[in-house]
C-alpha cells in the first residue's frame, strides 16, 4: 500500500512540475520582441513592418527600443510612423555596395531606428510601425537585432539569430523571412493599403490563439491528472 501511494505521489509531483514548465515556456515565448508579418516576398515594395515590443518585467517600464537594420541587404525607403509619447530617430549609413533601382542608384540606407520618451508598462506591449520602399531580393531572411532598455537600467539584447533545425535561442532577434516572388505586380502593395495586412494579422492572431489554447489544454489535463492521483491516494488511505 505504502509503495503504491508513494509512486502515485511521485507521479503527481512530476505531472505538476511538467505543467509548470510548459506554462513558464509559454510565457517566455510570448515575451520576445517580434516583427510582423513573419514573411514578405523578395523585392516587395511599399509595405509596412511592425515591431512588437512586450514588457517582460514586473516592476520596470520599457523606456527605449533600438532596432538595427541590416546594411549588407538594406531595406530601402524607410519611414517611421509617429507613436504618441515616443520620439523616433532614424540613423542612416553609406552602403558598401550601392543598390541600383528603377529610380537610380541608392548609396545610403537606414541602419538603426531608436524610439525614446515613451513607456511600456508591465503587462503591456507597444507596436512600432516602419514603412519601407523596397526589400532586398538577394537574401532569404532579414534579422533585426534589437535592444530593449528598462527604467531600472536593465538592457535585454534580442540579438541571437535562430538557426534552421535548432531550438529557439533564449533571446532571439526579430527575423523576417523573404520568400520567392510570386510574379504579381507588387506582393506588398495590398499590405500597404491595409487589406492583406489585416488578414495576415488576423491569421497570426488565430495561430497564436490556437497555440495558446493547446498549451492551456495540456496544462489543464496535467493538473487534472495530478488532482486525480491525489484523490486516489487519499481515498485508499482512508479505506486502509
Amino acid at each position: 500500500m505504502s509503495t503504491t501511494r508513494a509512486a502515485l505521489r511521485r507521479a503527481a509531483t512530476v505531472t505538476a512540475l511538467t505543467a509548470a514548465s510548459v506554462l513558464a515556456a509559454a510565457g517566455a515565448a510570448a515575451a520576445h520582441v517580434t516583427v510582423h508579418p513573419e514573411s514578405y516576398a523578395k523585392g516587395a515594395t511599399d509595405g509596412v513592418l511592425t515591431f512588437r515590443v512586450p514588457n517582460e518585467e514586473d516592476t520596470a517600464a520599457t523606456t527605449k527600443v533600438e532596432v538595427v537594420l541590416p546594411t549588407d541587404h538594406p531595406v530601402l525607403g524607410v519611414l517611421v510612423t509617429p507613436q504618441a509619447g515616443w520620439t523616433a530617430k532614424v540613423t542612416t549609413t553609406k552602403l558598401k555596395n550601392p543598390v541600383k533601382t528603377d529610380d537610380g542608384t541608392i548609396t545610403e540606407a537606414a541602419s538603426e531606428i531608436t524610439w525614446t520618451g515613451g513607456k511600456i508598462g508591465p503587462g503591456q506591449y507597444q507596436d512600432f510601425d516602419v514603412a519601407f520602399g523596397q526589400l532586398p531580393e538577394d537574401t532569404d531572411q532579414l534579422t533585426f537585432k534589437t535592444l530593449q532598455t528598462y527604467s531600472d537600467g536593465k538592457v535585454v539584447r534580442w540579438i541571437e539569430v535562430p538557426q534552421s533545425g535548432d531550438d529557439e535561442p533564449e533571446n532571439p532577434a526579430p527575423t523576417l523571412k523573404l520568400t520567392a516572388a510570386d510574379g504579381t505586380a507588387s506582393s506588398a502593395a495590398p499590405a500597404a493599403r491595409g487589406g492583406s495586412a489585416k488578414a495576415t494579422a488576423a491569421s497570426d492572431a488565430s495561430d497564436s490563439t490556437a497555440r495558446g489554447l493547446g498549451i492551456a489544454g495540456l496544462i489543464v489535463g496535467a493538473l487534472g491528472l495530478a488532482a486525480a492521483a491525489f484523490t486516489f491516494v487519499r481515498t485508499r488511505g482512508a479505506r486502509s
Side-chain angles (χ1 to χ4, degrees):
M1 179 66 67
S2 60
T3 302
T4 302
R5 187 177 304 166
L8 285 173
R9 285 178 178 172
R10 286 195 297 269
T13 301
V14 171
T15 301
L17 290 175
T18 300
S21 299
V22 172
L23 182 60
H32 296 169
V33 175
T34 52
V35 61
H36 303 272
E38 296 180 353
S39 66
Y40 256 114
K42 294 180 178 180
T45 58
D46 301 327
V48 175
L49 297 175
T50 298
F51 294 92
R52 177 159 296 174
V53 182
N55 189 325
E56 59 178 3
E57 295 293 309
D58 295 328
T59 59
T62 295
T63 56
K64 183 179 181 181
V65 177
E66 302 167 80
V67 176
V68 178
L69 282 67
T71 54
D72 53 346
H73 303 288
V75 178
L76 305 181
V78 167
L79 295 173
V80 180
T81 300
Q83 298 283 350
W86 293 87
T87 298
K89 177 183 178 182
V90 180
T91 301
T92 60
T93 188
K94 288 187 177 181
L95 299 175
K96 292 182 178 180
N97 299 308
V99 179
K100 294 182 179 181
T101 70
D102 293 339
D103 297 324
T105 300
I106 306 298
T107 59
E108 292 187 352
S111 58
E112 184 176 330
I113 306 174
T114 302
W115 287 272
T116 56
K119 289 185 178 181
I120 308 173
Q124 300 178 345
Y125 73 90
Q126 178 72 56
D127 282 345
F128 297 95
D129 292 337
V130 177
F132 63 82
Q134 183 175 340
L135 295 178
E137 301 177 346
D138 56 351
T139 185
D140 294 328
Q141 69 177 30
L142 294 175
T143 300
F144 302 95
K145 296 183 178 182
T146 302
L147 302 183
Q148 182 178 9
T149 301
Y150 286 91
S151 55
D152 60 1
K154 179 180 179 180
V155 178
V156 180
R157 300 167 62 84
W158 303 101
I159 61 173
E160 298 178 84
V161 181
Q163 300 296 327
S164 178
D166 293 342
D167 293 336
E168 185 177 62
E170 183 177 355
N171 291 346
T175 301
L176 177 71
K177 296 179 181 179
L178 296 182
T179 61
D182 58 8
T184 57
S186 176
S187 58
R193 293 194 294 270
S196 293
K198 292 180 180 179
T200 301
S203 177
D204 289 344
S206 177
D207 290 344
S208 298
T209 300
R211 287 193 295 268
L213 290 175
I215 292 173
L218 288 174
I219 294 172
V220 172
L223 293 178
L225 178 59
F230 279 118
T231 300
F232 177 78
V233 170
R234 185 179 301 172
T235 302
R236 293 296 296 271
R239 291 179 179 176
S240 62

